[in-house]
Amino acid sequence: MIHPADLRRMLTHSFRKGIRGSHAGGDSPQAEIMKRAHPDYLKYQDDLIAEIASLKKERNAVILAHNYQRDEIQEIADICGDSLGLSRQAAATEADVIVFCGVHFMAETAAILSPQKTVLLPVEEAGCPMADMIDLPRLLELKAGRPDAAVVTYVNSSAEIKAESDICCTSANAVNVVNSIDASKIIFTPDRNLALYVARFTDKEIIPYDGFCPTHHLISAAAVKRARAERPDAKLVVHPECLPDVIDLADHVCSTSGMYKYAAESDAEEFIIGTEMGILYRLRKENPEKRFHPATRHILCPNMKMTTLDWLAQSLRYMRFKVEVPEEIRRKAKKAVDRMLEVA
Ligand code: 13P
Ligand code: SF4
């Protein structure tokens, strides 16, 4: 008899794909093992799905999921989106409980906007390495060195950093945010690549902080060139967290939700996608006649992939893990987030 902990570990996206028969060439090796080891695994999963639906009703909860989440989490969520879209949903929801299937800064942003609601992050450890690259002493030092500059902070940051910023931005509105503010010098934190991308569209002096996304750094210009050579008719769409030499090669640069819009509206039939692979699930589902290829193999954000149906069910069952922000920090951070929401 397989141990329940192993069962949970194995009930992953690729495994499930195998069970359901959509895996090319039949069931995946994991699915085969699982079938022999535990004949009830499909029932187990269906029970989880039913439990999540029933707890969601009982708790008056809404499930928000980022576009990089596992397929089954996107499937069960009430709303999927990019950071900007999900921030708006978190601010507008009438639910009492927001279960944020994403990483810590996303749930924290929901808690900043909706302090009267209970915000849950199903996996406590799901963080964002880029957000962790800046801390308060470093930001204060940077501000002290450039007292004439305004601070624009990517939402991929902690509440503490947002609280010390003039305004926040996401990948969807960074250019508009920078151009909207009344300062000619901008300290842009924490993403260096997004900062350099924005600098292409403004006359303001951009002072980038040195953070980056390890997942987007897996996408090299050499790999992208190879992908383009293999599929010369495909459009290359990349996220602005990519390295500048990757961005130089792209046909279109946008946020994750921008990619759904671009794919739906474009006449092209084939696309090379330069961002985390979770996005491929709905791109393919919503555009069955088009073809989508990752720019390179294994563009995965390990933190985004931590959330499984088990963790989601446990989150609603035990009302964990609550994300709260100390009131003084929350109020200051909210100003920076609200300013962003006013701009775009
Ligand atoms: P989006 O806001 O474009 O969804 O990006 C969030 C993120 O973490 C990208 O790595
Ligand atoms: Fe952070 Fe990169 Fe993961 Fe987005 S993909 S959450 S920026 S580590």
Side-chain angles (χ1 to χ4, degrees):
M1 179 75 178
I2 194 159
H3 190 278
D6 291 331
L7 171 61
R8 289 192 191 100
R9 216 163 9 86
M10 292 172 85
L11 204 55
T12 60
H13 153 60
S14 56
F15 163 61
R16 221 169 55 88
K17 252 184 153 175
I19 303 166
R20 301 288 188 199
S22 60
H23 186 78
D27 283 356
S28 68
Q30 298 99 312
E32 284 299 340
I33 294 164
M34 203 60 181
K35 266 183 180 173
R36 270 179 271 132
H38 201 298
D40 287 338
Y41 57 85
L42 270 184
K43 183 174 177 315
Y44 172 71
Q45 187 179 46
D46 289 344
D47 288 351
L48 278 179
I49 292 169
E51 186 188 4
I52 291 166
S54 136
L55 285 170
K56 203 178 72 163
K57 227 171 166 184
E58 197 180 305
R59 312 262 193 232
N60 188 24
V62 64
I63 300 175
L64 305 184
H66 186 264
N67 295 326
Y68 296 158
Q69 288 288 295
R70 290 166 183 269
D71 303 359
E72 61 269 33
I73 298 293
Q74 295 190 41
E75 207 51 68
I76 208 168
D78 297 295
I79 298 156
C80 295
D82 64 3
S83 305
L84 181 61
L86 293 176
S87 300
R88 288 193 188 288
Q89 295 292 343
T93 183
E94 307 236 303
D96 296 319
V97 177
I98 300 172
V99 188
F100 215 120
C101 299
V103 291
H104 188 267
F105 77 82
M106 295 180 172
E108 201 178 52
T109 305
I112 289 168
L113 289 166
S114 304
Q116 72 290 3
K117 302 197 186 300
T118 302
V119 179
L120 303 177
L121 180 69
V123 182
E124 200 171 25
E125 298 80 13
C128 168
M130 181 208 283
D132 295 340
M133 286 178 190
I134 184 157
D135 57 19
L136 197 54
R138 284 193 204 138
L139 177 58
L140 294 179
E141 191 186 325
L142 204 55
K143 281 174 72 166
R146 302 301 297 253
D148 51 340
V151 179
V152 176
T153 289
Y154 193 25
V155 284
N156 299 37
S157 54
S158 68
E160 238 184 357
I161 297 296
K162 289 181 175 79
E164 284 299 324
S165 306
D166 293 290
I167 187 166
C168 287
C169 72
T170 72
S171 62
N173 61 17
V175 173
N176 286 349
V177 163
V178 163
N179 284 326
S180 76
I181 55 178
D182 190 18
S184 59
K185 296 181 176 65
I186 311 282
I187 295 170
F188 193 106
T189 69
D191 187 11
R192 172 178 80 211
N193 295 323
L194 183 60
L196 295 175
Y197 176 69
V198 169
R200 300 177 189 219
F201 303 97
T202 183
D203 295 333
K204 297 174 195 280
E205 182 193 349
I206 304 288
I207 305 149
Y209 185 76
D210 208 18
F212 62 91
C213 164
T215 296
H216 285 85
H217 273 212
L218 296 172
I219 307 169
S220 68
V224 166
K225 282 180 190 159
R226 274 197 303 276
R228 291 211 88 153
E230 278 169 27
R231 307 180 196 281
D233 295 331
K235 294 283 182 200
L236 174 67
V237 189
V238 309
H239 196 274
E241 286 176 18
C242 287
L243 287 156
D245 57 355
V246 170
I247 288 181
D248 287 341
L249 300 167
D251 295 300
H252 192 62
V253 181
C254 57
S255 76
T256 55
S257 287
M259 292 186 185
Y260 295 111
K261 189 167 181 295
Y262 181 76
E265 291 173 0
S266 167
D267 291 335
E269 289 171 359
E270 209 170 358
F271 302 83
I272 299 165
I273 303 295
T275 196
E276 214 274 353
M277 291 168 76
I279 195 151
L280 296 170
Y281 173 62
R282 281 193 302 123
L283 279 174
R284 289 174 177 151
K285 192 175 159 189
E286 291 171 9
N287 305 277
E289 71 296 352
K290 298 185 176 180
R291 293 184 302 286
F292 299 92
H293 312 279
T296 184
R297 295 169 71 194
H298 310 308
I299 319 171
L300 291 167
C301 172
N303 288 275
M304 283 284 183
K305 295 304 188 239
M306 284 180 180
T307 309
T308 58
L309 289 175
D310 281 272
W311 284 109
L312 176 53
Q314 290 185 42
S315 180
L316 278 161
R317 204 183 295 150
Y318 307 118
M319 293 296 282
R320 68 183 196 200
F321 294 89
K322 288 196 178 117
V323 176
E324 287 163 330
V325 182
E327 186 54 19
E328 205 184 316
I329 295 175
R330 190 196 70 79
R331 262 190 296 107
K332 287 172 79 184
K334 185 169 185 297
K335 276 192 193 151
V337 178
D338 280 344
R339 279 191 200 121
M340 166 187 86
L341 293 174
E342 279 162 26
V343 172

Coordinates of all heavy atoms in Angstrom, one line a residue, residues 88-120:
R88 N -6.7 43.6 -9.0 CA -8.0 44.2 -9.1 C -9.1 43.3 -8.6 O -10.0 43.8 -7.9 CB -8.3 44.5 -10.6 CG -7.5 45.6 -11.2 CD -8.0 46.0 -12.6 NE -7.2 47.0 -13.2 CZ -7.0 48.2 -12.9 NH1 -7.7 48.7 -11.8 NH2 -6.2 49.0 -13.5
Q89 N -9.0 42.0 -8.9 CA -10.1 41.1 -8.4 C -10.0 41.0 -6.9 O -11.1 41.0 -6.3 CB -9.8 39.7 -9.0 CG -9.9 39.6 -10.5 CD -11.4 39.8 -11.0 OE1 -12.3 39.7 -10.2 NE2 -11.5 40.1 -12.3
A90 N -8.8 41.0 -6.3 CA -8.7 41.0 -4.9 C -9.4 42.2 -4.2 O -10.0 42.1 -3.2 CB -7.3 40.8 -4.5
A91 N -9.2 43.3 -4.9 CA -9.8 44.6 -4.3 C -11.3 44.6 -4.5 O -12.0 45.2 -3.6 CB -9.1 45.8 -5.0
A92 N -11.8 43.9 -5.5 CA -13.2 44.1 -5.8 C -14.1 43.0 -5.2 O -15.3 43.1 -5.1 CB -13.4 44.1 -7.3
T93 N -13.5 41.8 -4.8 CA -14.3 40.7 -4.5 C -15.2 40.9 -3.3 O -14.9 41.6 -2.3 CB -13.5 39.4 -4.2 OG1 -14.3 38.3 -4.0 CG2 -12.5 39.6 -3.1
E94 N -16.4 40.3 -3.3 CA -17.3 40.3 -2.1 C -17.1 39.1 -1.2 O -17.8 39.0 -0.2 CB -18.7 40.3 -2.7 CG -19.0 41.4 -3.7 CD -20.1 42.3 -3.4 OE1 -21.2 41.8 -3.2 OE2 -19.9 43.5 -3.3
A95 N -16.3 38.2 -1.6 CA -16.1 37.0 -0.8 C -15.4 37.4 0.5 O -14.8 38.4 0.7 CB -15.1 36.0 -1.6
D96 N -15.6 36.5 1.5 CA -15.0 36.7 2.8 C -13.6 36.2 2.9 O -12.8 36.7 3.7 CB -15.8 36.0 3.9 CG -17.2 36.5 4.1 OD1 -17.4 37.7 4.0 OD2 -18.2 35.7 4.2
V97 N -13.3 35.2 2.0 CA -12.0 34.6 2.1 C -11.4 34.6 0.6 O -12.1 34.2 -0.3 CB -12.1 33.1 2.5 CG1 -10.8 32.4 2.5 CG2 -12.7 33.1 4.0
I98 N -10.2 35.0 0.5 CA -9.5 35.0 -0.8 C -8.4 33.9 -0.7 O -7.5 34.0 0.2 CB -8.8 36.3 -1.1 CG1 -9.8 37.4 -1.2 CG2 -8.0 36.2 -2.4 CD1 -9.2 38.8 -1.4
V99 N -8.5 32.8 -1.5 CA -7.4 31.8 -1.5 C -6.6 32.1 -2.7 O -7.1 32.1 -3.8 CB -8.0 30.4 -1.6 CG1 -6.9 29.4 -1.4 CG2 -9.1 30.1 -0.6
F100 N -5.4 32.5 -2.4 CA -4.5 33.0 -3.5 C -3.5 31.9 -4.0 O -2.6 31.6 -3.3 CB -3.7 34.2 -3.1 CG -3.5 35.2 -4.2 CD1 -4.0 36.5 -4.2 CD2 -2.9 34.8 -5.4 CE1 -3.9 37.3 -5.3 CE2 -2.8 35.6 -6.5 CZ -3.3 36.9 -6.4
C101 N -3.8 31.3 -5.1 CA -2.9 30.2 -5.6 C -1.9 31.0 -6.5 O -2.1 31.3 -7.6 CB -3.7 29.2 -6.5 SG -4.9 28.4 -5.5
G102 N -0.8 31.2 -5.9 CA 0.3 32.0 -6.5 C 1.5 32.0 -5.6 O 1.7 31.0 -4.9
V103 N 2.2 33.1 -5.5 CA 3.3 33.2 -4.6 C 3.0 34.3 -3.5 O 2.1 35.1 -3.7 CB 4.7 33.4 -5.3 CG1 5.1 32.2 -6.1 CG2 4.6 34.6 -6.2
H104 N 3.9 34.3 -2.5 CA 3.6 35.1 -1.3 C 3.2 36.6 -1.6 O 2.3 37.1 -1.1 CB 4.8 35.0 -0.3 CG 4.4 35.6 1.0 ND1 4.7 36.9 1.3 CD2 3.8 35.1 2.1 CE1 4.3 37.2 2.5 NE2 3.7 36.1 3.0
F105 N 4.0 37.2 -2.5 CA 3.8 38.7 -2.7 C 2.4 38.9 -3.3 O 1.8 40.0 -3.0 CB 4.9 39.3 -3.6 CG 4.8 39.1 -5.0 CD1 3.9 39.8 -5.8 CD2 5.5 38.1 -5.7 CE1 3.8 39.6 -7.2 CE2 5.4 37.8 -7.0 CZ 4.5 38.6 -7.8
M106 N 1.9 38.0 -4.0 CA 0.5 38.1 -4.6 C -0.5 38.1 -3.5 O -1.5 38.9 -3.5 CB 0.3 37.0 -5.7 CG 1.2 37.1 -6.8 SD 1.0 35.9 -8.0 CE 2.1 36.5 -9.3
A107 N -0.4 37.1 -2.6 CA -1.4 37.0 -1.5 C -1.2 38.3 -0.6 O -2.2 38.8 -0.1 CB -1.1 35.8 -0.7
E108 N 0.0 38.7 -0.4 CA 0.2 39.9 0.4 C -0.4 41.1 -0.2 O -1.0 42.0 0.5 CB 1.8 40.1 0.6 CG 2.1 40.9 1.8 CD 3.6 41.0 2.0 OE1 4.3 41.4 1.0 OE2 4.1 40.7 3.1
T109 N -0.3 41.2 -1.5 CA -1.0 42.4 -2.2 C -2.5 42.4 -1.9 O -3.1 43.4 -1.7 CB -0.6 42.4 -3.7 OG1 0.8 42.4 -3.8 CG2 -1.2 43.6 -4.4
A110 N -3.0 41.1 -2.0 CA -4.5 41.0 -1.7 C -4.8 41.4 -0.3 O -5.8 42.1 0.0 CB -4.9 39.6 -1.9
A111 N -3.9 41.1 0.7 CA -4.1 41.4 2.1 C -3.9 42.9 2.3 O -4.6 43.6 3.1 CB -3.1 40.7 3.0
I112 N -3.0 43.6 1.5 CA -2.9 45.0 1.6 C -4.1 45.7 1.1 O -4.6 46.7 1.7 CB -1.7 45.4 0.7 CG1 -0.3 45.0 1.3 CG2 -1.7 47.0 0.4 CD1 0.9 45.1 0.4
L113 N -4.8 45.2 0.1 CA -5.9 45.8 -0.5 C -7.2 45.5 0.3 O -8.1 46.3 0.3 CB -6.1 45.4 -2.0 CG -5.1 46.0 -2.9 CD1 -5.1 45.3 -4.3 CD2 -5.3 47.5 -3.1
S114 N -7.3 44.4 0.9 CA -8.5 43.9 1.5 C -8.3 43.4 2.9 O -8.4 42.2 3.2 CB -9.2 42.8 0.7 OG -9.4 43.2 -0.6
P115 N -7.9 44.3 3.9 CA -7.6 43.9 5.2 C -8.7 43.3 6.0 O -8.5 42.5 6.9 CB -7.1 45.2 5.9 CG -7.8 46.3 5.1 CD -7.9 45.8 3.7
Q116 N -9.9 43.5 5.6 CA -11.1 43.0 6.3 C -11.4 41.5 5.9 O -12.2 40.8 6.5 CB -12.3 43.9 6.1 CG -13.0 43.8 4.7 CD -12.1 44.5 3.6 OE1 -11.0 45.0 3.8 NE2 -12.7 44.6 2.4
K117 N -10.7 41.1 4.8 CA -10.9 39.7 4.3 C -9.8 38.8 4.9 O -8.7 39.2 5.2 CB -10.9 39.7 2.8 CG -12.0 40.6 2.2 CD -12.2 40.3 0.8 CE -13.2 41.3 0.2 NZ -14.5 41.4 0.8
T118 N -10.1 37.5 4.9 CA -9.1 36.5 5.2 C -8.4 36.1 3.9 O -9.0 35.7 3.0 CB -9.7 35.3 5.9 OG1 -10.4 35.7 7.0 CG2 -8.7 34.3 6.3
V119 N -7.1 36.3 3.9 CA -6.3 35.9 2.7 C -5.5 34.7 3.0 O -4.7 34.7 4.0 CB -5.4 37.1 2.2 CG1 -4.6 36.7 0.9 CG2 -6.3 38.3 1.9
L120 N -5.6 33.7 2.2 CA -4.9 32.4 2.4 C -4.0 32.1 1.3 O -4.3 32.3 0.1 CB -5.9 31.2 2.5 CG -7.0 31.3 3.6 CD1 -7.9 30.1 3.5 CD2 -6.4 31.4 5.0

